[in-house]
Amino acid sequence: MNAISFNDLSMHNKILLVDDLATLVSSIEYYDHRIYLYSLNSLFIEAWHNIDTGVIEKISTAEYGQL
């Protein structure tokens, strides 16, 4: 799977894929979000979890320059 095909998945399928197959690498707090960094094959994936609402707002591949 490449970055484009992962980002084209629905939020539900991204969550299932990350939960089942990805490895948690790190997490940080950024304002009102906890950002989880996962590794999946050759991809790094960020999951943005809103601390206040408890909702996962965004899951996408991470740009290497942002890491």
Side-chain angles (χ1 to χ4, degrees):
M1 174 172 288
N2 61 27
I4 295 171
S5 63
F6 179 83
N7 289 330
D8 286 342
L9 294 173
S10 69
M11 180 66 85
H12 177 75
N13 287 335
K14 288 178 186 177
I15 291 170
L16 291 176
L17 191 61
V18 168
D19 280 345
D20 290 344
L21 301 175
T23 302
L24 180 64
V25 175
S26 181
S27 67
I28 62 167
E29 285 191 16
Y30 182 73
Y31 294 100
D32 58 348
H33 288 86
R34 178 165 287 275
I35 305 168
Y36 295 95
L37 180 66
Y38 293 93
S39 172
L40 178 64
N41 299 327
S42 63
L43 298 175
F44 283 113
I45 299 166
E46 291 179 329
W48 290 67
H49 181 261
N50 188 311
I51 295 169
D52 296 331
T53 63
V55 174
I56 298 172
E57 295 180 348
K58 176 182 170 184
I59 299 177
S60 65
T61 56
E63 301 288 330
Y64 288 104
Q66 296 173 341
L67 299 175

